[in-house]
Amino acid sequence: MGTPSEESNLLLYVDPQPRRPSKGRRPHRSAAATQRTVAVLLSIAALIFILATYAWLPHTLNTEETFAGADAESHASNGGVDPSRVFQNILSAKRLRHNLEYYASGTHVAGANMSQTEYTSNYFALQGLDTEIVEYYPWLNRPVGQRVALFDQRTNAVMYEAGLGEDSIPGDHATEDPNNPPAFHSHSAHGNVTGQLVYANYGTAEDIDALTKVGVSLQDKIVLVRHGRTHSSTKLLAAELAGARGMLVYSDPADDGYARGRVYPEGPWRPESSVQRDSVLRSSIYPGDPLTPGYASTRDAQRLLPAEATNLNRIPSLPLSYRDAQPLLNALQGHGTNAADIDRDWVGGLTSRGVRYWTGPSTLLVNLANSVEYKIAPIQNVIGRIRGRETPEEIVIIGNHRDSWSAGASDSSSGSAVLLELARAFGELQKLGWRPRRTIVLASWDAGEYGYVGSTEWVEENIDWLRSDAIAYVNVGTAVAGKVFEAAASPAMKGLLYSVAAQVRQPHSNGTVYEAWLRYSMDQEGDSPASDRTRGHMPKPRVHLPSLASDSVAFIAHAGISVVDLGFTGSTGAHHSSFDSLKRMLGYIDPDMQLHRAAAELWGLLALRLADDPILGHCTRCYAKDLKHYIGQLEKQVAQCWVNTTTPMKFRRLRAAQRQLLSSARIIEHDIKHLRSVYGDDCQMAGRRRHARCLALRASINDRISRLEQHFLDPAGIPHQRWYKHVLFGPEVPVRPPGTQLFPMLAEPLESCNVPRLRQLEKSVADILLEAAWFLREV
């Protein structure tokens, strides 16, 4: 698709065709008078045409308006202008770079950069958005002092002390910023502990079980684990449950360092001094402010005591670079079990530096000191609104967290840069007279790195309004971290995702994002779209389960709103470190900003479709079909309880509920087909008497498909995780496989093979699904 100049402007012009004179008799007039009359009439007709066109613009933008320099692809098939094409042509790589340069110009930790809050708010307002700054007061910690040291307990001689710092790269301002935080975990416990060291691979439940099988206990130990596979908070909770005194999390070069390629500044991968900061808030219990679970942390909110907060950890932890981790691994050599004897997967990339991975425990002791200061601190969300013209009470929300651990060129500055450009593009469309059918809300969250605090508090404060009026939430935590597009979403959003991805060109290729996404998906191991071939279906790109490790979590898991998370990933070798810089981004990831532009197109087109389509594109059949697949996965899990039998347990109630949901989805599809054939999507074929009937039917369809997600909520919440309400998707916890969990209500009895309890909870979940199925039938 051709693109106009970055400085092109949107122009409005009308070129009405002259009308042919009437063949009827008219009084005789002079030629001059006739010409004057015709000229006047033509002028009046032109004026009326302009006014009518402008009045019609908010409805469809189907006018003779165009974008200077835009090619024929900007035009709809009927000769008018497609608003999505106009939107795509507005987007500017130059402006995206300017935005990125601003956000990545310095460190902006949660609540610590009011200037960026004001800049974002002012930018939204300049684009014509109704803008406000919403402040909350959560319980946050800041680093005071840290220490990791190896010493001989017999002599008290210190054998090694970790530097806990990152090297500066000459010419890269982000790595030289004095405001970069030290090695630090947000919501980590204050403490000074000492114990023997044990290496536990990635620190998953399976890894800890493997240690137990070879006779290695974590009781009273300091545990050293690798980043990856599961969230740091899940690793820490697993270590605490196993009796550990503290935990160290390091970035192994096999995962994102020199074993993957050239390290920064010679390449994009993680250098040896890089520290991957993280949150260790127990978000699997509840995200957001620890002291106000389930309600907003406003200035005067009633708060728990910190000791009462169940999502705070009780043992200290720190992140390490692989340079600092190497002496610790060397101290384990020859002690315990050779990691390779457990599994080759336990051996990392430091073997090239002479490290032999052993489990320990070590004979030397490790001292882990983590001094932090906790206090109630203000954070600021920036919320901008574009009021809808037809159903303003319905809202589509797009959001990105603004805070970063350092400059955060990828996470989160790339997303913030794109969010500003979307605000500008929507503002330009408004200048043309466009307004969305539904209200669009743009949200710049604060304290996302601390456990999705800003978004969670906002959802908790507005829960009733959101459940009543929200259509969907589209999140972009990191817009660009590599060249591979990936998405996680509610099944209802799959069709829209595929449609939009097919409209956007994959940067530096002749194909679309959809085509590149499909190729990548089919190359991946596991449950890939290639398996669709065996079922006789055309393969589709893989959409991951909805992310509960992002700012989407409160929307789907607590409020029951369909979500999408999207972005370009791949070269994540600087994640949460000072090396996630503008220089690295422009040098190795996106030099010409075309990936940012593609992310803006994808994000913006999704928002436009959700806000402007007369009939929402939520796919109820996709939900029903995916549910069948989820039940199949569940039956494979439960089959492990009956290894020696040929008749394992079947979830017949769940399957019956799934069939009802599929049947109801077909009824919705029939209603949509009927509306389109009889009235048209926008009720344009309905006469005056039938117009109200058409609008009522369309409103019923949209209400049913957009609120389906809410009918998968259990008001009582998931057992032991009451903040989480969704019965299909739950958070990861240490005793389960990493990632979003299917059927979280069934997880506990499934682990213990408690059949009576499993049957009881299956009925509860099936009843909720049946109610959702019947809701789809209500007209």
Side-chain angles (χ1 to χ4, degrees):
M1 180 180 69
T3 55
S5 163
E6 301 289 5
E7 302 304 323
S8 299
N9 296 314
L10 283 167
L11 302 177
L12 180 69
Y13 71 89
V14 177
D15 184 19
Q17 295 296 317
R19 298 182 179 181
R20 302 179 71 177
S22 170
K23 295 182 180 180
R25 288 189 177 184
R26 295 193 180 274
H28 174 74
R29 297 188 181 187
S30 68
T34 300
Q35 290 175 356
R36 285 195 299 271
T37 301
V38 170
V40 170
L41 289 173
L42 284 175
S43 298
I44 293 172
L47 180 60
I48 292 171
F49 191 91
I50 291 172
L51 292 174
T53 297
Y54 208 74
W56 187 248
L57 255 172
H59 190 57
T60 60
L61 264 181
N62 185 19
T63 70
E64 289 300 318
E65 156 200 332
T66 191
F67 180 71
D71 58 28
E73 291 188 25
S74 293
H75 294 269
S77 59
N78 59 4
V81 172
D82 182 346
S84 64
R85 290 296 189 186
V86 176
F87 163 79
Q88 287 175 283
N89 283 318
I90 293 171
L91 298 173
S92 163
K94 181 178 179 180
R95 291 178 185 273
L96 282 162
R97 175 164 176 161
H98 174 80
N99 296 343
L100 183 64
E101 287 172 347
Y102 170 73
Y103 280 111
S105 62
T107 297
H108 39 288
V109 178
N113 199 323
M114 189 63 188
S115 63
Q116 282 200 352
T117 301
E118 293 174 346
Y119 181 91
T120 305
S121 176
N122 292 338
Y123 196 98
F124 280 6
L126 284 172
Q127 311 313 316
L129 278 65
D130 180 12
T131 306
E132 64 176 332
I133 295 173
V134 182
E135 201 160 52
Y136 297 104
Y137 297 83
W139 183 248
L140 303 179
N141 66 336
R142 305 294 192 199
V144 176
Q146 298 77 34
R147 184 190 192 223
V148 175
L150 270 173
F151 69 96
D152 189 326
Q153 61 180 327
R154 295 169 299 176
T155 64
N156 283 329
V158 175
M159 312 302 291
Y160 166 73
E161 185 149 353
L164 300 179
E166 294 179 304
D167 296 339
S168 297
I169 304 296
D172 189 340
H173 169 72
T175 66
E176 301 170 325
D177 191 334
N179 295 315
N180 285 336
F184 171 63
H185 281 152
S186 73
H187 288 115
S188 55
H190 178 92
N192 189 326
V193 294
T194 299
Q196 292 174 287
L197 186 68
V198 168
Y199 169 65
N201 198 25
Y202 291 101
T204 65
E206 292 80 3
D207 291 336
I208 293 175
D209 287 344
L211 286 175
T212 301
K213 289 177 182 177
V214 297
V216 177
S217 170
L218 299 188
Q219 186 67 42
D220 297 325
K221 306 298 192 299
I222 307 298
V223 186
L224 178 65
V225 300
R226 296 158 66 174
H227 266 290
R229 299 285 173 87
T230 187
H231 198 270
S232 293
S233 62
T234 308
K235 301 173 193 284
L236 186 56
L237 179 54
E240 183 178 328
L241 292 173
R245 291 180 178 174
M247 188 178 75
L248 300 168
V249 188
Y250 82 100
S251 302
D252 195 281
D255 300 309
D256 61 3
Y258 60 75
R260 301 294 303 276
R262 295 168 68 88
V263 302
Y264 189 68
E266 281 75 35
W269 295 101
R270 190 179 298 276
E272 64 174 9
S273 70
S274 176
V275 175
Q276 189 169 175
R277 301 158 186 86
D278 214 345
S279 168
V280 289
L281 184 74
R282 293 178 181 174
S283 295
S284 61
I285 308 300
Y286 58 91
D289 177 31
L291 306 188
T292 59
Y295 57 97
S297 56
T298 56
R299 185 188 294 270
D300 300 321
Q302 185 176 356
R303 290 173 168 82
L304 301 177
L305 295 174
E308 298 174 316
T310 56
N311 67 346
L312 288 174
N313 288 290
R314 310 304 175 190
I315 62 174
S317 64
L318 286 174
L320 292 178
S321 66
Y322 57 83
R323 181 172 67 190
D324 282 345
Q326 183 174 339
L328 302 180
L329 290 165
N330 285 334
L332 294 170
Q333 200 157 296
H335 301 288
T337 299
N338 190 321
D341 292 339
I342 298 176
D343 194 293
R344 285 297 305 170
D345 179 64
W346 280 58
V347 179
L350 286 167
T351 53
S352 63
R353 297 191 176 184
V355 172
R356 299 293 176 261
Y357 290 77
W358 286 69
T359 64
S362 63
T363 56
L364 297 176
L365 298 184
V366 173
N367 175 237
L368 190 172
N370 183 43
S371 179
V372 293
E373 178 186 18
Y374 270 96
K375 63 180 181 180
I376 293 172
I379 63 170
Q380 298 86 27
N381 295 335
V382 181
I383 308 295
R385 291 178 177 82
I386 304 172
R387 182 175 172 80
R389 70 179 187 276
E390 185 174 301
T391 53
E393 70 281 0
E394 297 178 343
I395 57 169
V396 174
I397 308 153
I398 63 175
N400 158 265
H401 76 87
R402 189 178 63 257
D403 63 299
S404 296
W405 286 119
S406 56
S410 287
D411 182 11
S412 61
S413 295
S414 65
S416 295
V418 173
L419 189 65
L420 283 198
E421 181 64 356
L422 294 188
R424 187 187 71 84
F426 294 156
E428 290 298 314
L429 286 175
Q430 286 190 92
K431 292 175 184 176
L432 288 168
W434 168 87
R435 273 175 55 204
R437 185 183 303 271
R438 305 174 183 91
T439 295
I440 299 177
V441 172
L442 283 72
S444 175
W445 312 118
D446 201 354
E449 297 293 3
Y450 270 72
Y452 332 119
V453 178
S455 57
T456 298
E457 300 311 303
W458 189 79
V459 169
E460 289 176 341
E461 183 173 35
N462 297 287
I463 187 71
D464 293 335
W465 167 56
L466 292 171
R467 285 180 177 165
S468 171
D469 297 340
I471 299 300
Y473 173 67
V474 186
N475 185 68
V476 176
T478 299
V480 178
K483 297 176 172 60
V484 176
F485 178 73
E486 289 198 272
S490 305
M493 295 287 100
K494 279 187 172 183
L496 269 178
L497 263 172
Y498 294 149
S499 176
V500 165
Q503 291 181 254
V504 178
R505 184 175 64 84
Q506 176 73 15
H508 312 117
S509 79
N510 293 323
T512 65
V513 169
Y514 179 92
E515 293 164 340
W517 181 18
L518 177 60
R519 286 193 298 271
Y520 175 76
S521 296
M522 294 180 67
D523 288 340
Q524 300 307 295
E525 297 179 358
D527 185 22
S528 72
S531 63
D532 287 340
R533 292 176 175 176
T534 63
R535 298 193 293 267
H537 301 301
M538 291 294 292
K540 298 284 182 66
R542 183 176 185 180
V543 178
H544 298 281
L545 294 177
S547 175
L548 301 188
S550 76
D551 285 297
S552 292
V553 60
F555 288 93
I556 184 168
H558 194 66
I561 297 164
S562 294
V563 299
V564 177
D565 277 85
L566 60 87
F568 288 90
T569 185
S571 303
T572 55
H575 186 242
H576 287 183
S577 76
S578 66
F579 302 104
D580 184 9
S581 65
L582 180 69
K583 187 176 180 68
R584 175 181 172 275
M585 172 68 78
L586 297 178
Y588 298 106
I589 309 301
D590 196 16
D592 58 4
M593 298 298 291
Q594 291 305 306
L595 287 167
H596 281 77
R597 196 178 193 283
E601 290 185 61
L602 291 159
W603 199 3
L605 288 174
L606 266 176
L608 285 174
R609 289 287 304 276
L610 288 164
D612 267 346
D613 282 0
I615 301 173
L616 289 169
H618 293 54
C619 178
T620 53
R621 182 190 286 262
C622 296
Y623 230 132
K625 291 175 66 176
D626 281 9
L627 181 57
K628 182 179 181 180
H629 177 62
Y630 300 157
I631 296 169
Q633 289 183 303
L634 187 65
E635 289 179 339
K636 288 180 182 179
Q637 286 181 267
V638 80
Q640 299 173 11
C641 295
W642 286 270
V643 176
N644 298 319
T645 181
T646 58
T647 57
M649 176 181 174
K650 296 293 184 181
F651 291 94
R652 293 183 175 85
R653 287 190 177 94
L654 286 179
R655 289 200 174 275
Q658 183 272 333
R659 288 192 293 270
Q660 285 294 332
L661 189 65
L662 181 60
S663 175
S664 297
R666 290 172 177 151
I667 290 174
I668 281 280
E669 290 175 349
H670 176 270
D671 289 346
I672 294 173
K673 184 178 180 181
H674 172 74
L675 186 144
R676 285 176 169 157
S677 62
V678 175
Y679 304 109
D681 278 27
D682 223 351
C683 299
Q684 67 268 27
M685 293 184 289
R688 184 176 299 175
R689 294 181 179 179
R690 299 194 305 161
H691 192 70
R693 192 184 312 160
C694 174
L695 292 178
L697 176 58
R698 194 179 68 186
S700 170
I701 291 170
N702 285 339
D703 182 67
R704 283 179 282 159
I705 60 180
S706 66
R707 295 181 63 194
L708 173 64
E709 200 85 55
Q710 288 183 40
H711 285 76
F712 297 134
L713 300 184
D714 183 344
I718 306 304
H720 309 299
Q721 299 164 295
R722 295 298 182 186
W723 185 91
Y724 288 89
K725 311 292 185 185
H726 209 293
V727 299
L728 298 182
F729 309 119
E732 64 175 6
V733 294
V735 293
R736 301 175 206 160
T740 300
Q741 302 298 306
L742 291 170
F743 300 104
M745 289 183 70
L746 307 181
E748 188 175 344
L750 184 59
E751 290 155 12
S752 59
C753 295
N754 185 337
V755 176
R757 180 65 172 160
L758 203 54
R759 288 293 189 199
Q760 178 188 3
L761 291 177
E762 181 205 2
K763 182 179 184 304
S764 298
V765 175
D767 286 346
I768 290 171
L769 298 180
L770 283 170
E771 288 180 8
W774 285 112
F775 170 73
L776 284 183
R777 295 170 181 255
E778 296 175 1
V779 180

